[in-house]
Short mmCIF file of all heavy atoms in Angstrom, two decimals:
data_model
loop_
_atom_site.label_atom_id
_atom_site.label_comp_id
_atom_site.label_asym_id
_atom_site.label_seq_id
_atom_site.Cartn_x
_atom_site.Cartn_y
_atom_site.Cartn_z
N THR T 1342 4.17 -6.34 7.95
CA THR T 1342 3.09 -5.53 8.52
C THR T 1342 3.47 -4.05 8.52
O THR T 1342 2.66 -3.19 8.14
CB THR T 1342 2.81 -5.99 9.96
OG1 THR T 1342 4.04 -6.05 10.69
CG2 THR T 1342 2.15 -7.36 9.97
N VAL T 1343 4.68 -3.73 8.94
CA VAL T 1343 5.12 -2.34 8.96
C VAL T 1343 5.33 -1.83 7.54
O VAL T 1343 5.03 -0.67 7.23
CB VAL T 1343 6.41 -2.19 9.80
CG1 VAL T 1343 6.91 -0.75 9.78
CG2 VAL T 1343 6.16 -2.64 11.23
N GLY T 1344 5.83 -2.69 6.67
CA GLY T 1344 6.03 -2.28 5.29
C GLY T 1344 4.73 -1.92 4.60
O GLY T 1344 4.64 -0.89 3.90
N ILE T 1345 3.70 -2.73 4.80
CA ILE T 1345 2.40 -2.42 4.20
C ILE T 1345 1.83 -1.14 4.81
O ILE T 1345 1.21 -0.32 4.12
CB ILE T 1345 1.44 -3.61 4.39
CG1 ILE T 1345 1.89 -4.79 3.53
CG2 ILE T 1345 0.01 -3.22 4.04
CD1 ILE T 1345 1.05 -6.03 3.70
N GLY T 1346 2.04 -0.95 6.12
CA GLY T 1346 1.61 0.30 6.75
C GLY T 1346 2.32 1.50 6.17
O GLY T 1346 1.72 2.58 6.02
N LEU T 1347 3.60 1.36 5.83
CA LEU T 1347 4.36 2.44 5.19
C LEU T 1347 3.77 2.76 3.83
O LEU T 1347 3.59 3.94 3.48
CB LEU T 1347 5.82 2.04 5.07
CG LEU T 1347 6.75 3.02 4.34
CD1 LEU T 1347 6.86 4.32 5.13
CD2 LEU T 1347 8.14 2.40 4.15
N TRP T 1348 3.48 1.73 3.06
CA TRP T 1348 2.85 1.94 1.75
C TRP T 1348 1.49 2.63 1.89
O TRP T 1348 1.15 3.51 1.11
CB TRP T 1348 2.66 0.61 1.03
CG TRP T 1348 3.90 0.11 0.37
CD1 TRP T 1348 5.04 0.81 0.13
CD2 TRP T 1348 4.10 -1.19 -0.17
NE1 TRP T 1348 5.96 0.01 -0.51
CE2 TRP T 1348 5.41 -1.21 -0.72
CE3 TRP T 1348 3.33 -2.34 -0.24
CZ2 TRP T 1348 5.95 -2.34 -1.33
CZ3 TRP T 1348 3.86 -3.46 -0.85
CH2 TRP T 1348 5.15 -3.47 -1.40
N GLN T 1349 0.72 2.21 2.88
CA GLN T 1349 -0.60 2.80 3.08
C GLN T 1349 -0.49 4.29 3.40
O GLN T 1349 -1.28 5.11 2.91
CB GLN T 1349 -1.34 2.07 4.20
CG GLN T 1349 -2.77 2.54 4.39
CD GLN T 1349 -3.50 1.73 5.45
OE1 GLN T 1349 -2.93 0.84 6.07
NE2 GLN T 1349 -4.76 2.04 5.67
N GLY T 1350 0.49 4.63 4.24
CA GLY T 1350 0.69 6.04 4.54
C GLY T 1350 1.06 6.85 3.31
O GLY T 1350 0.60 7.98 3.13
N GLN T 1351 1.91 6.27 2.45
CA GLN T 1351 2.29 6.96 1.23
C GLN T 1351 1.11 7.10 0.28
O GLN T 1351 0.94 8.13 -0.38
CB GLN T 1351 3.44 6.21 0.54
CG GLN T 1351 4.74 6.22 1.33
CD GLN T 1351 5.82 5.39 0.68
OE1 GLN T 1351 5.57 4.71 -0.32
NE2 GLN T 1351 7.02 5.42 1.24
N ALA T 1352 0.27 6.05 0.20
CA ALA T 1352 -0.87 6.11 -0.70
C ALA T 1352 -1.91 7.12 -0.23
O ALA T 1352 -2.53 7.82 -1.04
CB ALA T 1352 -1.50 4.72 -0.81
N MET T 1353 -2.09 7.21 1.09
CA MET T 1353 -3.09 8.14 1.63
C MET T 1353 -2.64 9.58 1.56
O MET T 1353 -3.46 10.50 1.67
CB MET T 1353 -3.41 7.77 3.08
CG MET T 1353 -4.11 6.42 3.24
SD MET T 1353 -4.49 6.01 4.95
CE MET T 1353 -5.70 7.29 5.33
N SER T 1354 -1.34 9.80 1.38
CA SER T 1354 -0.85 11.17 1.27
C SER T 1354 -1.00 11.74 -0.13
O SER T 1354 -0.53 12.84 -0.40
CB SER T 1354 0.62 11.23 1.70
OG SER T 1354 1.43 10.46 0.82
N ASN T 1355 -1.62 10.92 -1.03
CA ASN T 1355 -1.91 11.35 -2.40
C ASN T 1355 -0.65 11.70 -3.19
O ASN T 1355 -0.64 12.62 -4.00
CB ASN T 1355 -2.86 12.56 -2.40
CG ASN T 1355 -4.22 12.21 -1.85
OD1 ASN T 1355 -4.74 11.13 -2.10
ND2 ASN T 1355 -4.82 13.14 -1.10
N ASN T 1356 0.42 10.96 -2.90
CA ASN T 1356 1.62 11.16 -3.70
C ASN T 1356 1.42 10.55 -5.08
O ASN T 1356 0.47 9.82 -5.34
CB ASN T 1356 2.83 10.52 -3.02
CG ASN T 1356 3.20 11.26 -1.75
OD1 ASN T 1356 2.95 12.45 -1.63
ND2 ASN T 1356 3.80 10.55 -0.81
N SER T 1357 2.32 10.85 -5.99
CA SER T 1357 2.23 10.27 -7.33
C SER T 1357 2.41 8.76 -7.25
O SER T 1357 3.25 8.26 -6.52
CB SER T 1357 3.33 10.87 -8.23
OG SER T 1357 4.61 10.64 -7.69
N GLY T 1358 1.62 8.06 -8.01
CA GLY T 1358 1.67 6.61 -7.99
C GLY T 1358 0.86 6.00 -6.88
O GLY T 1358 1.02 4.81 -6.58
N GLY T 1359 -0.02 6.79 -6.24
CA GLY T 1359 -0.81 6.27 -5.14
C GLY T 1359 -1.73 5.14 -5.57
O GLY T 1359 -1.97 4.19 -4.82
N GLU T 1360 -2.25 5.24 -6.81
CA GLU T 1360 -3.14 4.19 -7.29
C GLU T 1360 -2.41 2.86 -7.38
O GLU T 1360 -2.96 1.80 -7.04
CB GLU T 1360 -3.72 4.57 -8.66
CG GLU T 1360 -4.61 5.81 -8.65
CD GLU T 1360 -3.80 7.11 -8.64
OE1 GLU T 1360 -2.56 7.01 -8.71
OE2 GLU T 1360 -4.40 8.18 -8.56
N ASN T 1361 -1.17 2.87 -7.85
CA ASN T 1361 -0.40 1.64 -7.94
C ASN T 1361 -0.08 1.08 -6.55
O ASN T 1361 -0.03 -0.13 -6.35
CB ASN T 1361 0.91 1.90 -8.70
CG ASN T 1361 0.67 2.29 -10.16
OD1 ASN T 1361 -0.32 1.86 -10.76
ND2 ASN T 1361 1.56 3.10 -10.69
N LEU T 1362 0.13 1.97 -5.59
CA LEU T 1362 0.44 1.52 -4.23
C LEU T 1362 -0.74 0.78 -3.62
O LEU T 1362 -0.55 -0.19 -2.89
CB LEU T 1362 0.82 2.72 -3.35
CG LEU T 1362 2.28 3.18 -3.43
CD1 LEU T 1362 2.51 4.38 -2.53
CD2 LEU T 1362 3.22 2.05 -3.04
N TRP T 1363 -1.96 1.22 -3.88
CA TRP T 1363 -3.12 0.52 -3.31
C TRP T 1363 -3.21 -0.90 -3.83
O TRP T 1363 -3.59 -1.82 -3.11
CB TRP T 1363 -4.41 1.28 -3.63
CG TRP T 1363 -4.63 2.47 -2.74
CD1 TRP T 1363 -4.65 3.78 -3.11
CD2 TRP T 1363 -4.85 2.45 -1.33
NE1 TRP T 1363 -4.87 4.58 -2.02
CE2 TRP T 1363 -4.99 3.80 -0.91
CE3 TRP T 1363 -4.92 1.45 -0.38
CZ2 TRP T 1363 -5.22 4.15 0.41
CZ3 TRP T 1363 -5.14 1.79 0.95
CH2 TRP T 1363 -5.28 3.12 1.34
N GLY T 1364 -2.85 -1.09 -5.11
CA GLY T 1364 -2.81 -2.46 -5.63
C GLY T 1364 -1.77 -3.30 -4.93
O GLY T 1364 -2.00 -4.48 -4.61
N LEU T 1365 -0.59 -2.71 -4.65
CA LEU T 1365 0.44 -3.43 -3.91
C LEU T 1365 0.01 -3.73 -2.48
O LEU T 1365 0.30 -4.80 -1.93
CB LEU T 1365 1.74 -2.61 -3.90
CG LEU T 1365 2.50 -2.49 -5.21
CD1 LEU T 1365 3.67 -1.53 -5.06
CD2 LEU T 1365 2.99 -3.85 -5.67
N ILE T 1366 -0.70 -2.79 -1.87
CA ILE T 1366 -1.16 -2.98 -0.49
C ILE T 1366 -2.13 -4.14 -0.41
O ILE T 1366 -2.03 -5.01 0.48
CB ILE T 1366 -1.80 -1.68 0.04
CG1 ILE T 1366 -0.74 -0.59 0.21
CG2 ILE T 1366 -2.51 -1.93 1.37
CD1 ILE T 1366 -1.31 0.78 0.46
N ILE T 1367 -3.09 -4.18 -1.32
CA ILE T 1367 -4.08 -5.26 -1.31
C ILE T 1367 -3.41 -6.61 -1.58
O ILE T 1367 -3.66 -7.61 -0.89
CB ILE T 1367 -5.18 -4.99 -2.35
CG1 ILE T 1367 -5.95 -3.73 -1.96
CG2 ILE T 1367 -6.12 -6.17 -2.47
CD1 ILE T 1367 -6.94 -3.27 -3.00
N THR T 1368 -2.51 -6.64 -2.56
CA THR T 1368 -1.80 -7.88 -2.86
C THR T 1368 -0.91 -8.32 -1.70
O THR T 1368 -0.87 -9.50 -1.33
CB THR T 1368 -0.96 -7.72 -4.14
OG1 THR T 1368 -1.80 -7.26 -5.21
CG2 THR T 1368 -0.30 -9.03 -4.52
N GLY T 1369 -0.20 -7.35 -1.13
CA GLY T 1369 0.67 -7.67 0.00
C GLY T 1369 -0.10 -8.18 1.21
O GLY T 1369 0.35 -9.09 1.91
N SER T 1370 -1.27 -7.61 1.45
CA SER T 1370 -2.10 -8.07 2.57
C SER T 1370 -2.55 -9.50 2.36
O SER T 1370 -2.58 -10.31 3.30
CB SER T 1370 -3.32 -7.15 2.73
OG SER T 1370 -2.92 -5.82 2.98
N LEU T 1371 -2.89 -9.84 1.11
CA LEU T 1371 -3.29 -11.21 0.80
C LEU T 1371 -2.12 -12.17 0.98
O LEU T 1371 -2.26 -13.23 1.60
CB LEU T 1371 -3.83 -11.28 -0.62
CG LEU T 1371 -4.17 -12.69 -1.15
CD1 LEU T 1371 -5.28 -13.32 -0.31
CD2 LEU T 1371 -4.57 -12.64 -2.62
N VAL T 1372 -0.96 -11.78 0.47
CA VAL T 1372 0.23 -12.64 0.58
C VAL T 1372 0.62 -12.83 2.03
O VAL T 1372 1.06 -13.92 2.44
CB VAL T 1372 1.39 -12.04 -0.25
CG1 VAL T 1372 2.69 -12.80 0.02
CG2 VAL T 1372 1.06 -12.08 -1.74
N SER T 1373 0.43 -11.81 2.86
CA SER T 1373 0.90 -11.87 4.25
C SER T 1373 0.11 -12.87 5.09
O SER T 1373 0.62 -13.33 6.12
CB SER T 1373 0.81 -10.48 4.89
OG SER T 1373 -0.54 -10.07 5.02
N ILE T 1374 -1.13 -13.20 4.69
CA ILE T 1374 -1.91 -14.14 5.49
C ILE T 1374 -1.75 -15.58 5.03
O ILE T 1374 -2.13 -16.51 5.74
CB ILE T 1374 -3.42 -13.77 5.49
CG1 ILE T 1374 -4.01 -13.94 4.10
CG2 ILE T 1374 -3.62 -12.36 6.00
CD1 ILE T 1374 -5.52 -13.77 4.06
#
């Protein structure tokens, strides 16, 4: 849960690779449930 939140913060800060992070966030959220 905290790891996905960390990724979300990085993706929302518009860092490089943010598009790839959103894919990881969605996949990670699915795996976590």
Side-chain angles (χ1 to χ4, degrees):
T1342 50
V1343 178
I1345 291 177
L1347 177 65
W1348 280 347
Q1349 185 176 2
Q1351 294 176 354
M1353 294 181 66
S1354 64
N1355 295 322
N1356 292 332
S1357 59
E1360 296 80 3
N1361 295 330
L1362 277 179
W1363 282 114
L1365 289 174
I1366 292 169
I1367 295 173
T1368 305
S1370 300
L1371 174 63
V1372 171
S1373 67
I1374 66 172

